[in-house]
Amino acid sequence: MDAAPNYTTAALVMGGVNLFWILLLIRGFLGFGAVFAVGYALDRLIVWGARRRRRAG
């Protein structure tokens, strides 16, 4: 039986593409300030998740 294919790279690339167009859409409607706010919020969310995971592990 063959091993399952590794789609990690494809998933990361598509995640980046989706993040890019979503940020462009936000910039178009709300401006750069909103993009900075969303970026900061995503950064805080990632850091919070990493700390939580480190404590649990």
Side-chain angles (χ1 to χ4, degrees):
M1 208 168 189
D2 293 336
N6 184 358
Y7 291 117
T8 303
T9 303
L12 289 172
V13 168
M14 285 310 300
V17 169
N18 285 327
L19 179 63
F20 178 73
W21 76 259
I22 289 169
L23 289 175
L24 277 179
L25 188 71
I26 291 171
R27 185 187 136 250
F29 283 110
L30 302 173
F32 279 116
V35 172
F36 292 139
V38 168
Y40 182 76
L42 285 174
D43 177 64
R44 295 289 90 206
L45 184 65
I46 291 168
V47 169
W48 174 78
R51 285 183 184 155
R52 187 168 182 242
R53 183 177 239 183
R54 215 175 313 142
R55 273 185 288 178

Coordinates of all heavy atoms in Angstrom, one line a residue:
M1 N 0.8 -1.2 0.0 CA 0.0 0.0 0.0 C 0.9 1.3 0.0 O 1.8 1.3 0.8 CB -0.9 0.0 1.2 CG -2.2 0.7 1.1 SD -3.1 0.2 2.5 CE -4.7 0.9 2.1
D2 N 0.6 2.2 -0.9 CA 1.4 3.4 -1.0 C 1.0 4.4 0.2 O -0.1 4.4 0.6 CB 1.2 4.1 -2.3 CG 1.7 3.3 -3.5 OD1 2.6 2.5 -3.2 OD2 1.2 3.4 -4.6
A3 N 2.0 5.2 0.5 CA 1.8 6.2 1.5 C 1.0 7.4 0.9 O 1.0 7.6 -0.3 CB 3.1 6.8 2.0
A4 N 0.3 8.1 1.8 CA -0.5 9.2 1.3 C 0.4 10.3 0.8 O 1.5 10.5 1.3 CB -1.4 9.7 2.4
P5 N 0.0 11.0 -0.3 CA 0.8 12.1 -0.8 C 0.9 13.3 0.2 O 0.0 13.5 1.0 CB 0.1 12.6 -2.0 CG -1.2 12.0 -2.0 CD -1.2 10.8 -1.0
N6 N 2.0 14.0 0.2 CA 2.3 15.1 1.1 C 1.8 16.4 0.4 O 2.5 16.8 -0.5 CB 3.8 15.2 1.5 CG 4.0 16.2 2.5 OD1 3.2 17.0 2.9 ND2 5.3 16.3 2.9
Y7 N 0.8 17.0 0.9 CA 0.2 18.2 0.3 C 0.5 19.4 1.1 O -0.1 20.5 0.9 CB -1.3 18.1 0.1 CG -1.7 17.1 -0.9 CD1 -2.4 15.9 -0.6 CD2 -1.4 17.2 -2.3 CE1 -2.8 15.0 -1.5 CE2 -1.7 16.3 -3.2 CZ -2.5 15.2 -2.9 OH -2.9 14.3 -3.8
T8 N 1.5 19.3 2.0 CA 1.8 20.5 2.9 C 2.2 21.7 2.1 O 1.7 22.8 2.3 CB 3.0 20.1 3.8 OG1 2.5 18.9 4.6 CG2 3.3 21.2 4.8
T9 N 3.1 21.6 1.1 CA 3.6 22.7 0.4 C 2.4 23.3 -0.4 O 2.3 24.6 -0.4 CB 4.7 22.3 -0.6 OG1 5.8 21.7 0.2 CG2 5.2 23.5 -1.4
A10 N 1.6 22.5 -1.0 CA 0.5 23.1 -1.8 C -0.5 23.8 -0.9 O -1.0 24.9 -1.2 CB -0.2 21.9 -2.5
A11 N -0.7 23.3 0.3 CA -1.6 23.9 1.2 C -1.1 25.3 1.7 O -1.8 26.2 1.8 CB -1.9 23.0 2.4
L12 N 0.2 25.3 2.0 CA 0.8 26.6 2.4 C 0.8 27.6 1.3 O 0.6 28.8 1.6 CB 2.3 26.3 2.9 CG 2.4 25.6 4.2 CD1 3.8 25.2 4.5 CD2 1.8 26.4 5.4
V13 N 1.1 27.2 0.1 CA 1.1 28.1 -1.0 C -0.3 28.7 -1.2 O -0.5 29.9 -1.4 CB 1.6 27.5 -2.3 CG1 1.3 28.3 -3.5 CG2 3.1 27.2 -2.2
M14 N -1.3 27.9 -1.2 CA -2.7 28.3 -1.4 C -3.1 29.2 -0.2 O -3.9 30.2 -0.4 CB -3.6 27.2 -1.6 CG -3.5 26.5 -3.0 SD -3.6 27.7 -4.3 CE -5.2 28.5 -4.1
G15 N -2.7 28.9 1.0 CA -3.0 29.7 2.1 C -2.4 31.1 1.9 O -3.1 32.1 2.2
G16 N -1.2 31.2 1.4 CA -0.6 32.5 1.1 C -1.3 33.3 0.1 O -1.5 34.5 0.1
V17 N -1.7 32.6 -1.0 CA -2.4 33.2 -2.1 C -3.8 33.8 -1.6 O -4.1 34.9 -1.9 CB -2.6 32.2 -3.3 CG1 -3.6 32.7 -4.3 CG2 -1.3 31.9 -3.9
N18 N -4.5 33.0 -0.8 CA -5.7 33.4 -0.2 C -5.6 34.6 0.7 O -6.3 35.6 0.7 CB -6.5 32.3 0.5 CG -7.1 31.3 -0.5 OD1 -7.5 31.7 -1.6 ND2 -7.1 30.1 -0.1
L19 N -4.5 34.6 1.6 CA -4.3 35.7 2.4 C -4.0 37.0 1.6 O -4.4 38.0 2.0 CB -3.1 35.4 3.4 CG -2.7 36.5 4.3 CD1 -3.8 36.8 5.3 CD2 -1.4 36.0 5.1
F20 N -3.2 36.8 0.6 CA -2.8 38.0 -0.3 C -4.1 38.6 -0.9 O -4.3 39.8 -0.8 CB -1.9 37.5 -1.4 CG -1.5 38.6 -2.3 CD1 -0.6 39.6 -2.0 CD2 -2.0 38.6 -3.6 CE1 -0.2 40.6 -2.8 CE2 -1.6 39.6 -4.5 CZ -0.8 40.6 -4.1
W21 N -5.0 37.8 -1.5 CA -6.1 38.5 -2.1 C -7.1 39.0 -1.1 O -7.8 40.0 -1.4 CB -6.8 37.6 -3.2 CG -7.7 36.5 -2.7 CD1 -7.3 35.2 -2.6 CD2 -9.0 36.6 -2.2 NE1 -8.4 34.4 -2.1 CE2 -9.4 35.3 -1.9 CE3 -9.9 37.6 -2.1 CZ2 -10.7 35.0 -1.4 CZ3 -11.2 37.3 -1.6 CH2 -11.6 36.0 -1.3
I22 N -7.2 38.4 0.0 CA -8.1 38.9 1.1 C -7.6 40.2 1.6 O -8.3 41.2 1.8 CB -8.3 37.9 2.2 CG1 -9.1 36.7 1.7 CG2 -8.9 38.5 3.4 CD1 -9.1 35.5 2.6
L23 N -6.3 40.3 1.8 CA -5.7 41.6 2.2 C -5.8 42.7 1.2 O -6.0 43.9 1.5 CB -4.2 41.4 2.7 CG -4.0 40.6 4.0 CD1 -2.5 40.4 4.2 CD2 -4.7 41.3 5.1
L24 N -5.7 42.3 -0.1 CA -5.9 43.3 -1.2 C -7.4 43.8 -1.2 O -7.6 45.0 -1.4 CB -5.6 42.7 -2.5 CG -4.1 42.7 -3.0 CD1 -4.0 42.0 -4.3 CD2 -3.6 44.1 -3.0
L25 N -8.3 42.9 -1.0 CA -9.7 43.3 -0.9 C -10.0 44.2 0.3 O -10.6 45.2 0.1 CB -10.6 42.0 -0.8 CG -12.1 42.2 -0.9 CD1 -12.4 42.5 -2.3 CD2 -12.8 40.9 -0.5
I26 N -9.4 43.9 1.4 CA -9.6 44.8 2.6 C -8.9 46.1 2.3 O -9.5 47.2 2.6 CB -8.9 44.1 3.8 CG1 -9.7 42.9 4.3 CG2 -8.8 45.1 5.0 CD1 -9.1 42.1 5.3
R27 N -7.8 46.1 1.7 CA -7.1 47.4 1.4 C -8.0 48.2 0.4 O -8.1 49.5 0.5 CB -5.8 47.2 0.7 CG -5.0 48.5 0.5 CD -3.7 48.2 -0.3 NE -3.7 49.3 -1.3 CZ -3.8 49.1 -2.6 NH1 -4.0 47.9 -3.1 NH2 -3.7 50.1 -3.4
G28 N -8.6 47.6 -0.6 CA -9.4 48.3 -1.5 C -10.7 48.9 -0.9 O -11.0 50.0 -1.3
F29 N -11.3 48.3 0.1 CA -12.5 48.8 0.7 C -12.2 49.7 1.9 O -12.9 50.6 2.1 CB -13.4 47.6 1.1 CG -14.1 47.0 0.0 CD1 -13.8 45.8 -0.5 CD2 -15.1 47.7 -0.7 CE1 -14.5 45.2 -1.5 CE2 -15.8 47.2 -1.7 CZ -15.5 45.9 -2.2
L30 N -11.2 49.3 2.7 CA -11.0 50.0 4.0 C -9.7 50.7 4.2 O -9.5 51.5 5.1 CB -11.2 49.0 5.1 CG -12.5 48.2 5.2 CD1 -12.4 47.1 6.2 CD2 -13.6 49.1 5.4
G31 N -8.7 50.5 3.3 CA -7.5 51.2 3.4 C -6.4 50.4 4.1 O -6.6 49.3 4.6
F32 N -5.2 51.0 4.1 CA -4.0 50.3 4.7 C -4.1 50.1 6.2 O -3.6 49.2 6.7 CB -2.7 51.1 4.4 CG -2.2 50.9 3.0 CD1 -2.1 51.9 2.1 CD2 -1.8 49.6 2.6 CE1 -1.6 51.7 0.8 CE2 -1.3 49.4 1.4 CZ -1.2 50.4 0.4
G33 N -4.8 51.1 6.9 CA -4.9 50.9 8.3 C -5.6 49.6 8.7 O -5.2 49.0 9.6
A34 N -6.6 49.3 7.9 CA -7.4 48.0 8.2 C -6.5 46.8 7.9 O -6.5 45.8 8.7 CB -8.6 48.0 7.4
V35 N -5.7 46.9 6.9 CA -4.7 45.8 6.6 C -3.7 45.6 7.7 O -3.5 44.5 8.2 CB -4.0 46.0 5.2 CG1 -2.9 45.0 5.0 CG2 -5.0 46.0 4.1
F36 N -3.2 46.7 8.2 CA -2.3 46.7 9.4 C -3.0 46.1 10.6 O -2.4 45.3 11.3 CB -1.7 48.0 9.7 CG -0.8 48.5 8.6 CD1 -0.8 49.9 8.2 CD2 0.1 47.7 7.9 CE1 0.0 50.4 7.3 CE2 1.0 48.2 6.9 CZ 0.9 49.5 6.6
A37 N -4.2 46.5 10.8 CA -4.9 46.0 12.0 C -5.2 44.5 11.9 O -5.0 43.7 12.8 CB -6.2 46.7 12.2
V38 N -5.6 44.0 10.7 CA -5.8 42.6 10.5 C -4.5 41.8 10.6 O -4.5 40.7 11.2 CB -6.5 42.3 9.1 CG1 -6.5 40.9 8.7 CG2 -7.9 42.9 9.1
G39 N -3.4 42.3 10.0 CA -2.1 41.7 10.2 C -1.7 41.6 11.6 O -1.2 40.5 12.0
Y40 N -1.9 42.6 12.4 CA -1.5 42.6 13.8 C -2.4 41.6 14.5 O -1.8 40.8 15.4 CB -1.6 44.0 14.4 CG -1.2 44.0 15.8 CD1 0.1 44.0 16.2 CD2 -2.2 44.1 16.9 CE1 0.5 44.1 17.5 CE2 -1.8 44.1 18.2 CZ -0.4 44.1 18.5 OH 0.0 44.1 19.8
A41 N -3.7 41.6 14.3 CA -4.5 40.6 14.9 C -4.2 39.2 14.6 O -4.2 38.3 15.5 CB -6.0 40.9 14.5
L42 N -3.8 38.9 13.3 CA -3.4 37.6 13.0 C -2.1 37.2 13.7 O -1.9 36.1 14.1 CB -3.2 37.5 11.4 CG -4.5 37.4 10.6 CD1 -4.2 37.5 9.1 CD2 -5.3 36.2 10.9
D43 N -1.2 38.1 13.8 CA 0.1 37.9 14.5 C -0.2 37.5 15.9 O 0.4 36.6 16.5 CB 1.0 39.1 14.4 CG 2.3 38.9 15.2 OD1 3.1 38.0 14.8 OD2 2.5 39.6 16.2
R44 N -1.0 38.3 16.6 CA -1.3 38.0 18.0 C -2.0 36.7 18.2 O -1.7 36.0 19.1 CB -2.2 39.1 18.6 CG -1.6 40.5 18.6 CD -0.5 40.6 19.7 NE 0.8 40.3 19.2 CZ 1.8 39.8 19.8 NH1 1.7 39.6 21.1 NH2 2.9 39.5 19.2
L45 N -2.9 36.3 17.2 CA -3.6 35.0 17.3 C -2.6 33.9 17.1 O -2.7 32.9 17.8 CB -4.7 35.0 16.2 CG -5.5 33.8 16.2 CD1 -6.4 33.7 17.4 CD2 -6.4 33.8 14.9
I46 N -1.7 34.0 16.2 CA -0.7 33.0 16.0 C 0.2 32.8 17.2 O 0.5 31.7 17.7 CB 0.2 33.3 14.7 CG1 -0.7 33.1 13.5 CG2 1.4 32.4 14.6 CD1 -0.1 33.6 12.2
V47 N 0.7 33.9 17.8 CA 1.5 33.9 19.0 C 0.8 33.3 20.2 O 1.3 32.4 20.9 CB 2.0 35.3 19.3 CG1 2.7 35.3 20.7 CG2 3.0 35.8 18.3
W48 N -0.5 33.7 20.3 CA -1.3 33.1 21.4 C -1.5 31.6 21.2 O -1.3 30.8 22.2 CB -2.7 33.8 21.4 CG -3.7 33.2 22.4 CD1 -3.7 33.4 23.7 CD2 -4.7 32.2 22.1 NE1 -4.7 32.6 24.3 CE2 -5.3 31.9 23.3 CE3 -5.2 31.7 20.9 CZ2 -6.4 31.1 23.3 CZ3 -6.2 30.8 21.0 CH2 -6.8 30.5 22.2
G49 N -1.7 31.1 20.0 CA -1.9 29.7 19.8 C -0.6 28.9 20.0 O -0.6 27.8 20.6
A50 N 0.6 29.5 19.6 CA 1.8 28.9 19.9 C 2.1 28.7 21.4 O 2.6 27.7 21.8 CB 3.0 29.6 19.2
R51 N 1.9 29.8 22.1 CA 2.1 29.8 23.6 C 1.2 28.7 24.2 O 1.6 28.0 25.1 CB 1.8 31.1 24.2 CG 2.9 32.1 23.9 CD 2.7 33.4 24.6 NE 3.7 34.4 24.3 CZ 3.6 35.7 24.3 NH1 2.4 36.2 24.7 NH2 4.6 36.5 24.0
R52 N -0.1 28.7 23.8 CA -1.0 27.7 24.4 C -0.6 26.3 24.1 O -0.7 25.4 24.9 CB -2.4 28.0 23.8 CG -3.5 27.2 24.4 CD -4.8 27.8 23.9 NE -5.9 27.1 24.6 CZ -6.8 26.3 24.0 NH1 -6.8 26.3 22.7 NH2 -7.7 25.7 24.6
R53 N -0.1 26.1 22.8 CA 0.3 24.8 22.4 C 1.6 24.3 23.2 O 1.7 23.2 23.6 CB 0.6 24.7 20.9 CG 1.0 23.4 20.4 CD 1.2 23.5 18.9 NE 0.3 22.6 18.3 CZ 0.2 22.4 17.0 NH1 0.9 23.0 16.2 NH2 -0.6 21.5 16.5
R54 N 2.5 25.3 23.4 CA 3.7 25.0 24.2 C 3.4 24.6 25.6 O 4.0 23.7 26.2 CB 4.6 26.2 24.2 CG 6.1 25.9 24.2 CD 7.0 27.1 24.0 NE 6.5 28.0 23.0 CZ 6.6 29.3 23.1 NH1 7.1 29.9 24.1 NH2 6.1 30.1 22.1
R55 N 2.4 25.3 26.3 CA 2.0 25.0 27.6 C 1.3 23.6 27.7 O 1.5 22.9 28.7 CB 1.1 26.1 28.2 CG 1.8 27.2 28.8 CD 0.8 28.2 29.4 NE 0.1 28.8 28.2 CZ -0.8 29.7 28.3 NH1 -1.3 30.1 29.5 NH2 -1.4 30.2 27.2
A56 N 0.5 23.3 26.7 CA -0.2 22.0 26.8 C 0.7 20.8 26.5 O 0.4 19.7 26.9 CB -1.3 22.1 25.7
G57 N 1.8 21.1 25.8 CA 2.6 19.9 25.3 C 3.6 19.6 26.3 O 4.2 18.7 26.6

